[in-house]
Amino acid sequence: MKDLLGIRELKKEAIEDILKTASAFKDVLRRDIKKVPTLRGKTVVNLFFEPSTRTRTSFELAEKRMSMDVLNFSIPASSVVKGESLLDTIKTIESYEIDFMVIRHSSSGVPNLIAAHTKASVINAGDGINEHPTQALLDAFTIMEKKGRIEGLEVAIVGDIMHSRVARSNIYCLTRLGAKIRLIGPPTLIPAEFLSHEQIKVFYRMEEGLKDVDVIMMLRLQLERQGKGFFPTVGEYFKIWGLTKERLGLAKPDAIVMHPGPMNRGIEIASEVADGPQSVILEQVTNGIAIRMAVMYLLSPPQGGKS
Amino acid sequence: MLKFNYMKVILSSEEIERALSRIAHQIVELNKGTKDLCLIGIQRGGVYLAERIAEKIESFEGVKVPVGALDISLYRDDLSRRKTVPAVRKTDIPFDITDKKIILVDDVLYTGRSIRAALDALMDMGRPGEIQLAVLIDRGHRELPICAQYVGRVVPTSRDETVEVRLSEEEKVVILKSSRAVEQ
């Protein structure tokens, strides 16, 4: 496999292989020396055409833990504002003999376009409303760690499904691993493509959807991606679809609460839930580094090598 | 796929047993007891052998020597020469290796590159007082200045042969000769 562009095209075995490999990297992160020489001499460019703090820092840390040389490329400092085309930018960067490109872009499909034009391994770090594969993998890894399995679990994904690449990648990932998905949110924010899937049920009210679930995955309300008119007000949104302590009580007593971050406290999730004992939000962040190390390990060697 | 056109048993189950007993005694003798001693097997073949040697030491010394498992995939020097990356297995060393006398255990000593990788991996986990090497088979063809203190059997081989230590079911060590050169 040269690139990781999305979960949709991954087989179940490939996903399981990544999760298994990540647990070895998690062990590395627990040591005094949290670094391995595996990708020494390789170079990675982080191309972020859209703002990101946690995904970018998580990738950067994972890259450094693998002993790679890291270049960061973000929009304001780049030639993009000077009118250079995307592919010219990629060709220029490729001339530096790059092995990996990590790409975040506000338009869906950009990583696929770039992957077709470069010999480097491309990792999608989130494209538009399409996919965010490493987030879904770290979420699956976290669930595995906490629940010991994914098959047969009831997982609620709550909020703005429509504009969420995290939700999309998680739906592909978790259904492939045998979970039962419940999508909960305003009817205006649940895309029609998920209405008739045998592993997916759709609920418009938290009170029905959260009953006896094993995992609650909250999504960030992506105000910057939405037009107007999907729901009346942010305050009303919290009232109906926010995760409060009372609503958490509807889930199984040992249910875990996840959020990809950054959180809008008081909009999609109450602070006491986000900081409560069932929250695994900070563990998701730690696991993100292990998952990204595993992905880069499995995508190497980029050029296929000698026999 | 490589085709193998002959198979020769070079160590039977009893011979493996005796070799491991001797190695266990030599380890204790050379280190004047079991103080600070620990065994670390290289995944996969070495881990089982390390456990066997630890059992033997326990049987005549009455001391349980700590045993760990080490995976060297992340320290290999041939990653960019391979078509696929090796599966990463568990590294499980549940004790502090600093100032310990480590007996590194592997099944077959060949080029020495795995041992180089294992040494680097161990150095990242602490500062051992001493590292010694025990192997069941030394088949020659070293590419690095590495030599084992404890050897079950020295077996002269050619590079197009494969030495396989089979530890499941009927255990034995066999030499397989391939119809073309084995690429390492």
Side-chain angles (χ1 to χ4, degrees):
Chain A
M1 190 163 72
K2 174 179 164 276
D3 311 300
L4 178 66
L5 301 173
I7 302 290
R8 193 203 285 257
E9 58 265 22
L10 287 189
K11 290 200 176 75
K12 185 182 180 201
E13 295 71 38
I15 296 171
E16 286 170 340
D17 198 22
I18 296 170
L19 300 182
K20 209 175 131 201
T21 306
S23 80
F25 284 105
K26 184 143 188 197
D27 290 344
V28 171
L29 297 174
R30 290 197 191 99
R31 297 182 196 155
D32 272 356
I33 298 177
K34 299 174 180 55
K35 195 178 177 94
V36 286
T38 318
L39 296 179
R40 201 162 55 96
K42 306 274 184 213
T43 309
V44 54
V45 181
N46 298 319
L47 284 157
F48 280 68
F49 296 95
E50 192 185 66
S52 158
T53 338
R54 65 189 63 212
T55 303
R56 202 189 60 74
T57 48
S58 175
F59 265 107
E60 188 171 345
L61 198 53
E63 291 152 1
K64 289 177 170 169
R65 301 283 196 230
M66 295 295 278
S67 300
M68 275 200 271
D69 294 314
V70 182
L71 279 175
N72 285 309
F73 187 106
S74 50
I75 329 167
S78 79
S79 294
V80 176
V81 288
K82 297 179 191 161
E84 188 178 55
S85 85
L86 180 66
L87 289 178
D88 282 337
T89 305
I90 297 304
K91 288 290 169 200
T92 307
I93 290 170
E94 202 178 29
S95 312
Y96 300 147
E97 304 278 334
I98 295 303
D99 300 289
F100 291 90
M101 290 189 195
V102 175
I103 294 161
R104 149 92 41 120
H105 201 285
S106 56
S107 297
S108 303
V110 166
N112 303 62
L113 175 75
I114 291 173
H117 286 87
T118 175
K119 290 201 290 289
S121 283
V122 173
I123 300 171
N124 180 1
D127 61 327
I129 58 167
N130 180 38
E131 282 227 43
H132 191 350
T134 56
Q135 178 71 43
L137 291 166
L138 76 88
D139 288 342
F141 183 83
T142 307
I143 297 172
M144 272 299 262
E145 251 189 355
K146 293 287 157 191
K147 297 283 167 197
R149 70 186 167 110
I150 287 178
E151 186 147 17
L153 290 184
E154 296 273 354
V155 181
I157 304 179
V158 184
D160 179 359
I161 314 288
M162 171 101 76
H163 300 93
S164 174
R165 52 196 175 206
V166 173
R168 221 167 288 269
S169 287
N170 260 307
I171 291 168
Y172 298 139
C173 185
L174 294 170
T175 50
R176 208 140 300 164
L177 296 175
K180 290 179 231 155
I181 306 290
R182 303 186 194 178
L183 301 180
I184 311 174
T188 46
L189 292 174
I190 294 183
E193 59 180 299
F194 297 127
L195 293 177
S196 53
H197 185 296
E198 58 177 28
Q199 277 171 273
I200 302 174
K201 281 190 207 151
V202 173
F203 296 87
Y204 302 120
R205 299 194 55 86
M206 296 287 267
E207 286 68 22
E208 296 160 17
L210 288 183
K211 224 169 166 293
D212 295 327
V213 292
D214 300 283
V215 177
I216 305 174
M217 207 176 263
M218 298 305 295
L219 299 172
R220 185 172 64 90
L221 201 53
Q222 307 211 27
L223 297 166
E224 77 277 14
R225 270 184 236 285
Q226 294 174 356
K228 284 198 167 68
F230 288 105
F231 53 87
T233 64
V234 161
E236 189 152 337
Y237 181 89
F238 183 72
K239 240 184 208 167
I240 305 174
W241 292 286
L243 185 62
T244 58
K245 205 177 164 193
E246 295 69 44
R247 286 184 179 142
L248 176 57
L250 298 167
K252 285 200 183 134
D254 62 348
I256 53 170
V257 176
M258 308 174 81
H259 193 296
M263 278 185 284
N264 295 311
R265 285 169 188 265
I267 295 179
E268 68 253 357
I269 188 165
S271 272
E272 58 175 347
V273 174
D275 305 327
Q278 284 165 271
S279 164
V280 297
I281 295 169
L282 293 175
E283 283 161 81
Q284 286 173 271
V285 178
T286 310
N287 291 341
I289 300 165
I291 278 288
R292 289 170 178 124
M293 290 171 82
V295 167
M296 288 184 277
Y297 176 73
L298 293 170
L299 293 182
S300 70
Q303 311 308 338
K306 303 168 198 168
S307 69
Chain B
M1 275 296 283
L2 290 176
K3 277 201 179 132
F4 295 105
N5 52 17
Y6 79 78
M7 185 179 110
K8 190 170 92 187
V9 177
I10 49 176
L11 230 56
S12 68
S13 170
E14 296 78 40
E15 288 170 314
I16 293 174
E17 188 66 21
R18 283 185 209 118
L20 292 178
S21 291
R22 174 172 51 78
I23 289 173
H25 278 98
Q26 283 175 328
I27 288 171
V28 176
E29 186 185 6
L30 208 80
N31 291 288
K32 301 182 175 68
T34 55
K35 189 175 176 292
D36 294 331
L37 215 54
C38 56
L39 297 168
I40 293 179
I42 298 178
Q43 288 279 23
R44 302 198 288 166
V47 179
Y48 175 71
L49 293 174
E51 282 162 4
R52 289 269 295 272
I53 294 171
E55 280 166 25
K56 293 195 178 297
I57 292 177
E58 192 184 358
S59 74
F60 59 79
E61 287 290 304
V63 178
K64 251 195 161 74
V65 174
V67 180
L70 180 67
D71 182 86
I72 57 162
S73 310
L74 304 177
Y75 290 83
R76 295 183 71 106
D77 62 4
D78 60 352
L79 277 182
S80 53
R81 296 171 64 110
R82 300 166 66 106
K83 278 210 176 95
T84 54
V85 291
V88 186
R89 296 178 198 285
K90 199 89 188 148
T91 287
D92 182 17
I93 301 178
F95 46 86
D96 184 8
I97 61 169
T98 296
D99 296 332
K100 291 283 171 10
K101 282 187 201 165
I102 295 174
I103 316 294
L104 198 57
V105 183
D106 205 358
D107 48 5
V108 180
L109 179 56
Y110 183 26
T111 61
R113 289 178 190 269
S114 302
I115 305 303
R116 194 282 309 162
L119 293 174
D120 281 355
L122 287 175
M123 295 304 172
D124 277 0
M125 287 172 212
R127 190 182 183 281
E130 196 179 330
I131 301 177
Q132 301 165 13
L133 177 61
V135 297
L136 186 57
I137 302 291
D138 179 352
R139 62 167 293 189
H141 302 290
R142 214 77 76 242
E143 293 168 4
L144 297 171
I146 280 167
C147 110
Q149 277 90 343
Y150 314 98
V151 180
R153 174 79 59 90
V154 177
V155 182
T157 58
S158 76
R159 283 179 187 270
D160 61 357
E161 289 170 320
T162 297
V163 175
E164 214 174 85
V165 177
R166 298 181 180 171
L167 296 169
S168 53
E169 296 153 47
E170 193 199 343
E171 71 177 18
K172 60 189 166 201
V173 180
V174 296
I175 286 193
L176 303 164
K177 190 177 175 74
S178 72
S179 51
R180 65 177 178 86
V182 177
E183 285 168 290
Q184 281 293 318

